[in-house]
Amino acid sequence: MDPTNPLIVQSDHTVLLEVASPRASSARDALSRFAELEKSPEHIHSYRVTPLSLWNAASSGLTADEVTTTLTEYAKYDVPQSVLFEIREQISRYGRLRIVGNNLKLVLSASSAGVLAEVCADKHVRSLLGIQINETSYHVPQGSRGALKQALIRLGWPAADEAGYETGEELQFDITASLRQYQHDAVRSWWADGSAAGGNGVLVLPCGSGKTVIGLAAAAQAASHTLVIATNLLAARQWISELKSKSNIDPELVGEYSGERKEIRPFTVATYQVLTWRDPNAEEDADLETRHPHLRLFRDHKWGVIIYDEVHLLPAPVFRATAEIQAIRRLGLTATLIREDGKEPDVFSLIGPKRFDAPWKDLERQGWIAPATCSEVRVDLPEESHIEYAVADAHNRYRIAATTVSKLTVLDLLVERHKHDRVLVIGQYIDQLRAVARRLDAPLITGQTSERMREKRFDAFRSGEISLLVVSKVANFSIDLPAANVAIQLSGTFGSRQEEAQRLGRILRPKPDGEQAHFYTIVTRETVDQQFAANRQRFLTEQGYAYQIVDAHEIGRTGSSQTA
Amino acid sequence: MAAGTFAPTLLVMSSFDQPTEFSAILKKRLTDLSVENLTELIMNVPVLSSRILPPDNQDRRDDHIIYYGHHRPLSEGTLDNLARFLARDEGIHGVLDALNQLQRAIVRVTAWRDGSATMAELIDETGATKEEINAAIQGVLATFLADETDQASPHPDENESSSVSSSNIIPIRTPNTDGPHVSKPKRLAVFTLHPSVSHRVELPGVSAQRFHARSYKSQLQDILKRLGNPQRDNVKHAELLSLLVQSLSSAETVKRSIDSVSQETRDAIETLRDGKPRRIKDFTNDYYSPFNYGRYFQPKGILKEFIECGIVGLCDQSQSVWLWLESIVALNDGRLFRPVDTSLATLATQPFDPGASMSRIPAAERHARTILEAWKQKPPTALADASLGVKPIRDVAKQLGITAERAGLLANLLKEIDLIAAVTASQTGKGRNTKYTYEYRNTDASSAWQSISPLERWKSLVVSWVFATSFDEAEGLPERIQSGAYYRAELRSLRRYVLDKLLSLSESECVDATRFAQSMQYLLPAQLQTDTVATMLEIMRYLGLIYEDRGDVVALTQAGRALLLGKDIDLSSLDSQFVLQADHTIVASPHSDSELISTLERYAEVESTAGAHIYRISEERIAREIASGATAEDVIGFFSTHSNTPVPQNVEYLVRDVAKRSGCIQAGSAGSYLVSEDAAQFARVLAVKPAQLTQVAPTVAVSPLSFEQLESALQKKGIFLPAQESPTLIPLAKSQNSVKVDGPIVIDISEAQLAVEALCKREESTSTSSTDLRTRALEAALARVEQHYLAHHTESDE
C-alpha cells in the first residue's frame, strides 16, 4: 500500500486513476490493456474492469497474473479480493469455447464437456448449434456465427472466434497522407497483424481527430474490397472525397450507393438511409432482406472489410444483417460510444469490442484536436413568457425556453464578437433557425435543404466565401468543416449527451495556428433548458471539458469592449 | 500480567456447605482488600468482572469497557454481590476456570492425589521449577482454596518444601480423613486443596474413585473379581472402593488385564489412553447394558472384553467407554500430564513504532452505516425462524467489498445495538395455520444512531461487541444472524480480559499474534482456545482496536487505547480532503473522516462506496439544505475548505442557482383576509395595528388573527364588518342591489363561490357538456358575477 500510487481499485470493479500522480502515465498504459475508460474529467479518470474488457485482454495474450500484478503494483490501497478473484475467473473463461474451422465448416469447440453442457442448457444457444460432433464440439451453421457469439456472451462464456475471415476480393491502394501516431496505433490494434483475434471492433476517437483517415488506412491495410456505411449522403460523399484526396486509389474503383446512385465498386460508400429503406410492398412478417432489399448489398458482393461510421447510430436492421456476416472484417468508428437506446453490448458482440480509445484532452494536449473552451451563456426568460412557460406541458416548456427571444440578443453579441471567425449556429427548432438566419442574414441548412444546396453551402463555408452558417441537427454528424472554430448552440435534442459532443466535434479540427475553438451554448436560466444543458454537458465534462458559465450581460460588456 | 504475581492476599473458603456463613466471611475478606488488590483479583478472574455493577448514575455502556471496578472502591452492594457469588458453585467454578495452565496442573495433581501434593510431586508432574510452582501457588492462594487454620510448619522430611518460606503462606495440613480417603496413609504436603474444592476440580479423564463413590458394593466386587482380587465379605464400601482404586492404579494389574485381551481390544485401549470417553459405536455395533443380559443381549467380541478386563469403564446411558484415569496414570508411570510450557506465562513483547497514520474512524463504522442504508432501501427477508440467512449478508458484503464474516459481524452488532430487528412482513392463514414471514428492518433507533457523531457510532460498535452475546468467537465469526441465540455471558468478561492484556502493553510495544493467542490460552486454558483468540483479534482489527496493516504483530491503535481507557480520542489526522471535479463528481478517500462524509452526503448523492467514496453533487440535496437554513456560501465554503482542487466555476454556479431559487415561493398560514376596493377605507383598515393586517395585493390584506379576533379588533376602532357567511371569505358588506356603495366592494358570497366552482370546472374540462345542468348553473353564476364586477368597475371609473 503506497499512498503515492495512482490507482484506487473499487470493489465494484471500477478503477480510479489520479492524473496528477507521478506514476499515472505508466499506470494508464498498463491499465488500458484490460480496463475500459469510462470518463476522464480533469483530476480523476474512471476505468471499469468488465468481463468483456478482460476477455479482450485475454484474447490479446494478457494473463490473470499480469492483470492482478498491475493492479496491486499501482494501487494506493489494498485491492479488494473479490476483484482479484473475478479477474482470475473471467480470464480463465476466455478461450474455453472456440469457434474454429473455415467458411465451409464451423465448429464450436469446448475445453471440457462440462462447459459445453452448461452453455447448451440454454435453449437459445442450442437452437443456434448444428449437430453434435463429440462431447466437446458442435457444428455451427454459417448464418449463426454472430448470433451464437451474442448468445454466448450473454451467458458469460465468450467464444474465441478463430474461424477467421473471408479474404474478400483484392483491392490494393495506399494512403498518401501521413498518419499520426495515435491513428497508427488505432489501426494496428484493430488489425492485430491480420490474425483472427483482430479484424473487428470499434475505435473511439474524438470528433475531428481524423476517424475517416483511420477508416481508410484500415481498408488499405486489409487490401480488399471495402464497404463503408455512413450516416447520410453528405457524409458518404465526404468519405469519397477524402478517399480520393488522401489515397492513390483509382477513382474509377470508388462507388456511391445511395438514394441517388446505386454503384457497387471495389470501394463503395453507402448510407444508413438507403440500407434501411423499407419496401412498402413487403409483408410485415417477410424476412429482413425482403423488407429492406438494399441490405443485400452486404452479401451480394465479396467484401473484405465493412466500415460502420458513427457506429453509435447503427440502426436495428443493419445490426441484424451484421449478425449474419461475421466472416467479414468489421470496423466501427465513433466519438462517443453512448447509445441512447442502450445497445452498447450489441455493438460489442456484433461489430466487436472497443479496440482503441483516446481521451479527448490527451489529443488536445498533443495538438491533434483544437483546444476548445466551452461556455454556457445564461439568459433570462422574458417576463411576458413566464406565464406561458409556467402553464405549458413538459414538451412545450422546453420549446418555449429553448426558443426564447432573449437568446437572439446574446446571439447577436456573440456573432459580433466572432465576426472574424467561422461561426456555426446550431439549433433544434426550424422556426427558430429560420428567424435566426433572417436576422443574421446567413444561409440556413436543415433537413429540408436539398443535398445539392447543402453541399454548395458547406463548400462555401469551407472555402471561406461565407463565415456564418445556421444549421439544424443535420450537421451534427460527419460533416467535415475544418475551418469552423466557433459553434453557438441555441437548442438541442433535450438532454442528449452525444449530440453535445458531436456538436463540439464540428469545431475541433486542429487550426493552422493552433487557434482556440469556442463552443457556446445559450441556455435560458431557471428553466428546463438549464436542466437539459446540465445533462448534455455530462459527457464532455467527463472528458475533461470545463464549462464556463457566463451571464448574458457579461457577454454584452466583453463584447462591447472587444468591438471598441 | 504474568502469572503468579498476585499480592499474597488470602481468601478463605472454610465450608462450602454453609454458603451464607461462607459468603459473610468472604465479604469481610473482600472488604479488607486494598483497591489495588481487589482490582487485581477481578482482573484475573474474568467471571467476577461481570458481577460488578456500574457506578451510580452511569449507564454501564458509557463506562470503560474493560470493567467497572477498575481502580475504584466498590460499593457495599457490589461487594455483597461478589461474596455471594464466590460462595456458590458457580463462583468456585468461575475461579477454577480462571487458573492458568500451571496453576491448573497444580490443582489437578493435588486433587488427583486426594487433595494434597508435595513439591517433588508437583515438580515431577508439571516440569516447572520450584520458584514457578511457588509463584503459581501464591496465585491460587490469592484467589481461594486454602484454610489458614490448616497452616503448619513443613515436615522436616519434605526436603523440597523446606525452601518455601512461611511468608508465602503455604498451608500445610493433613489430608481430610473423612470419606473414601480413609485408607490413605497420613503424610505432609506442600499444597492442600479444601476437600469441597477438590471434588470440583475437573480431571483429565474419568476417575474410578469418583465414579464409583456411589456404586453398589456388588458392582465393586464384580470389578475387583475381574481384576483378579479374591471375593471378600463383610467389607465396607469405602474399603472396597479403596481396593479398587489400588488395583486400577497398579501398573502390574493393568498390564496383566491388557495382556488378557485380543489385539483388537488392545488397540482400542491404546486409543483410550488420552482419557477421553469414546462412543462404543466407534468400536462395535453391539449395545451395552449392565443389566438383564438375556438371550438377545449377550455381549461378545470387543464389548465382552471391555467388560471383562476391568480397567475400562462403560456407561449404558451414553453408550460410551473409557480407560479409568487411575489406569492411565499407572501406564504413564504415575504422571498425569505432559510438562507445562511456563514461558507462555509472560507476553513476549517486541518494540513497535505506531507511525503517523493513526486515529482514523475505522471502516467498520462506515460499513455499518452502509448496511443500514442498503437494508433501509431493501429490507432483507428473514428465514422462517426470524434468523437472517447468509445470502443477504453475502450480498451486502459483496457490495461493500468485505468478507461475509465481517458483514456478518456488523449485522450482529447492529442487532445488538437494536438498530435492526426482525419484524413481521406478512401473515397468511389463520389460527394454528398462521404463517409469518419476517424481514429485518431498521428500527427507530437507527436514525438517531446515524445522527450521532461518527466517533460515537464507532464507540457504540466496539462496546456492543464487548457486550455481545449473540455469537461466540469460539465458533468463528458469524456469517448470519441467529434469532434468539444467546451465548454465555462470560464471553463479555473474556473479551475484556483479552483487551486488558493488550492494554497492559505500552504504546511502543507489540506482541506476535500467534504467540499472543498461545499465551492467552495458557492464562485461561479453560475458556480461551487459540482459535477463539485469533477470531477476537480479527474482530479487533476490523473494528480498529488493533492495527490492521502490521502483519502478524498485535498492538492497540491510539484510538482503541483511548477508547478502552475512556480518554479523548484525537481525530486530527483523519482524511478530510476530497477531489471535486467539474463533472460534479467528488472522490473522497476510503479513510475519510466520517464527519466529512456525513456532511458530504447532505450535498451529494453517493455513486459508489466500493472503496473510495464517489459522490455526485445533487441539486435536490443542496436545495434541501438551503431550505433548512444553510446559505450558498456555507456550501461553497465547505467545498473549498475540503477540496484538494479549486472548486469548479460551474459547481459554484449550480449552488448559487439553487440558493437563488430557494425562497421564491414562501408559504405561511393566515387566519383571515380582507378585500376592499375602496382605497381610503382600505387604508383606514390597514392602519388598525391590533388587526395585524398585511397588504398582499392592492385590494387584499391578510391577518394571522381569526375572523372573530379581526372583527373585534376593527370594531374597537369603529369599523364594522358584515356577518361572515363563509369561513374563508370575509366580505365587508352584504350584497346590495345598488352598486353605489359607500366603502368597500360588494360581493355576493354565494355567487362568488359558484363562480369559483365554475372556474374550476372550466379548468378540469375545456368542453363543457351542455346537458350538465349543474355546470350550466355555475356558468350562469359566473356570468352574473362578471357582469356585477363590470358594472361596478364601469361606474367607479366614471
Side-chain angles (χ1 to χ4, degrees), chain B residues 129-377:
Chain B
T129 64
K130 196 163 65 186
E131 290 70 29
E132 284 171 339
I133 290 173
N134 272 331
I137 290 173
Q138 290 286 355
V140 177
L141 293 176
T143 48
F144 76 140
L145 304 178
D147 187 336
E148 62 186 352
T149 58
D150 281 338
Q151 288 184 53
S153 304
H155 191 276
D157 294 342
E158 284 281 4
N159 294 330
E160 288 297 334
S161 64
S162 60
S163 63
V164 179
S165 73
S166 59
S167 67
N168 283 343
I169 322 179
I170 305 298
I172 307 293
R173 71 179 187 103
T174 53
N176 195 327
T177 52
D178 296 337
H181 313 268
V182 69
S183 64
K184 188 92 176 172
K186 287 185 179 180
R187 65 192 183 103
L188 291 172
V190 79
F191 181 67
T192 307
L193 279 175
H194 190 286
S196 303
V197 172
S198 206
H199 75 261
R200 284 174 172 81
V201 176
E202 182 205 345
L203 293 169
V206 185
S207 153
Q209 181 166 325
R210 290 187 187 179
F211 189 87
H212 284 304
R214 286 186 174 78
S215 295
Y216 292 112
K217 284 207 292 187
S218 59
Q219 279 178 292
L220 299 182
Q221 277 175 335
D222 206 22
I223 303 170
L224 279 167
K225 199 170 132 193
R226 284 178 188 143
L227 289 167
N229 292 292
Q231 174 83 25
R232 294 184 188 194
D233 296 326
N234 302 321
V235 185
K236 282 187 177 173
H237 184 282
E239 211 173 323
L240 279 178
L241 183 59
S242 179
L243 211 58
L244 176 63
V245 170
Q246 269 180 35
S247 293
L248 288 173
S249 306
S250 153
E252 194 190 335
T253 311
V254 174
K255 280 175 186 159
R256 197 174 56 234
S257 276
I258 292 173
D259 289 343
S260 71
V261 297
S262 66
Q263 185 60 42
E264 189 195 2
T265 311
R266 268 203 290 277
D267 293 343
I269 290 173
E270 186 60 32
T271 61
L272 296 173
R273 275 186 66 172
D274 60 5
K276 289 177 189 161
R278 285 190 170 70
R279 295 179 307 176
I280 294 173
K281 224 167 98 181
D282 293 343
F283 304 104
T284 173
N285 284 330
D286 292 345
Y287 185 82
Y288 168 70
S289 168
F291 309 110
N292 299 330
Y293 282 128
R295 271 185 303 174
Y296 305 107
F297 292 107
Q298 282 297 337
K300 56 183 189 295
I302 196 169
L303 183 59
K304 189 180 177 197
E305 291 192 325
F306 276 156
I307 297 166
E308 289 181 351
C309 74
I311 56 169
V312 168
L314 291 131
C315 174
D316 57 329
Q317 283 180 352
S318 61
Q319 288 294 306
S320 56
V321 58
W322 60 86
L323 188 61
W324 292 115
L325 185 56
E326 285 83 351
S327 303
I328 296 170
V329 174
L331 290 172
N332 288 347
D333 299 328
R335 288 175 66 103
L336 257 184
F337 300 109
R338 271 172 293 175
V340 178
D341 181 4
T342 50
S343 69
L344 289 168
T346 48
L347 294 178
T349 58
Q350 306 168 17
F352 181 73
D353 174 20
S357 59
M358 311 284 296
S359 300
R360 291 192 171 115
I361 297 288
E365 185 273 329
R366 172 168 56 85
H367 293 162
R369 269 190 300 125
T370 312
I371 291 178
L372 281 180
E373 277 297 320
W375 287 354
K376 188 178 176 185
Q377 306 292 331

Side-chain angles (χ1 to χ4, degrees), chain A residues 8-12 16 39 41-44 77 378 525-526 530 538 541-542 546-551 554, chain B residues 399-401 579-583 585 587 589-591 608 610-612 614 616 645 649-650 653 657 660:
Chain A
I8 301 172
V9 185
Q10 307 272 88
S11 62
D12 63 1
L16 308 179
K39 53 185 185 178
E42 64 270 43
H43 306 298
I44 295 179
Y77 309 113
R378 293 205 180 157
R525 186 182 283 118
E526 288 158 26
Q530 193 179 320
R538 203 162 139 183
T541 52
E542 285 173 357
Y547 277 76
Q548 182 77 16
I549 301 173
V550 281
D551 277 319
E554 290 176 43
Chain B
Q399 190 186 334
L400 289 167
V579 175
L580 173 56
Q581 310 191 93
D583 67 346
T585 55
V587 182
S589 148
H591 302 303
S608 166
I614 304 174
R616 182 170 292 280
T645 49
Q649 188 241 21
N650 62 345
Y653 257 78
D657 278 349
K660 206 172 133 196

